Amino acid sequence: MAGSGNRGGATTVHVAEHRAVGTATRPSDSIWALVRISIGWVFLWAFLDKTFGWGFNTPADRAWIGGASPTTGYLKGTVRKPLGAVFSPLAGHAWADWLFMLGLLGTGAALVLGVGLRLAAALGGLLLLLMWAAELPPEHNPFMDYRLVYALVMVGLAMVNAGDTLGIGRWWGNTALVRRHPFLK
């Protein structure tokens, strides 16, 4: 039965062999990898559009590279929200701009590449949670919106090692750096 992949311990060996060479063993592995890459692209695109002002969400005259603040529009818009007194004063500060943009870039790159998913889930999730809190209450629901859903999905992606399929997560996890510091997995 070894190699048949459908009885007893043979399935475990079969799965282990496939995982060792970095191939997907189930269709769901590929789906989760595509979800990971898609959410990563959402973060990367936000970074690129805000940096260069490509006109999708950020006009050219509001590009970060041209001196505009990527946090000003969003955070100033929270002034009439319940937590506006906390978030609105942060708008336009260089440290807030840099943290926000590095959060977008780092989370996006980690998800697309499939590396550091634990850290990306924690820090990207924190970024999303703060954005959610700044918008409370969400426009179309008393409390739930896509930011919370993305944060939960990112935690799930880290838990199932979604970076091992269609990503370099397996290689990354075997580096000396990650073996010494497992939170970087």
Side-chain angles (χ1 to χ4, degrees):
M1 297 289 170
S4 69
N6 61 7
R7 293 203 193 256
T11 301
T12 305
V13 171
H14 182 71
V15 170
E17 289 170 359
H18 281 291
R19 289 203 184 272
V21 296
T23 60
T25 59
R26 301 165 294 193
S28 61
D29 292 339
S30 295
I31 295 298
W32 288 119
L34 291 173
V35 168
R36 183 197 86 234
I37 293 165
S38 298
I39 294 175
W41 177 248
V42 169
F43 277 86
L44 277 180
W45 181 255
F47 170 80
L48 293 169
D49 191 46
K50 289 176 187 322
T51 299
F52 300 108
W54 286 340
F56 286 85
N57 207 24
T58 306
D61 63 335
R62 291 184 35 215
W64 193 32
I65 199 166
S69 165
T71 61
T72 296
Y74 185 78
L75 291 176
K76 285 290 184 189
T78 67
V79 72
R80 296 194 197 300
K81 299 286 187 169
L83 296 176
V86 173
F87 290 102
S88 186
L90 303 176
H93 289 281
W95 65 267
D97 291 342
W98 276 95
L99 282 177
F100 176 65
M101 294 300 280
L102 288 173
L104 292 176
L105 177 62
T107 301
L111 290 169
V112 168
L113 295 171
V115 300
L117 294 186
R118 291 176 185 170
L119 198 54
L123 297 178
L126 177 61
L127 176 64
L128 289 166
L129 184 63
L130 290 170
M131 291 173 69
W132 170 80
E135 285 289 322
L136 279 174
E139 185 176 350
H140 301 290
N141 192 294
F143 71 94
M144 184 58 71
D145 81 347
Y146 70 92
R147 293 169 191 95
L148 294 180
V149 174
Y150 278 3
L152 290 170
V153 170
M154 288 192 313
V155 169
L157 293 170
M159 292 175 69
V160 300
N161 295 318
D164 292 356
T165 302
L166 302 177
I168 59 173
R170 184 173 320 286
W171 168 81
W172 175 251
N174 288 322
T175 63
L177 176 66
V178 176
R179 284 195 310 265
R180 278 193 308 273
H181 307 285
F183 71 91
L184 295 172
K185 174 110 172 77

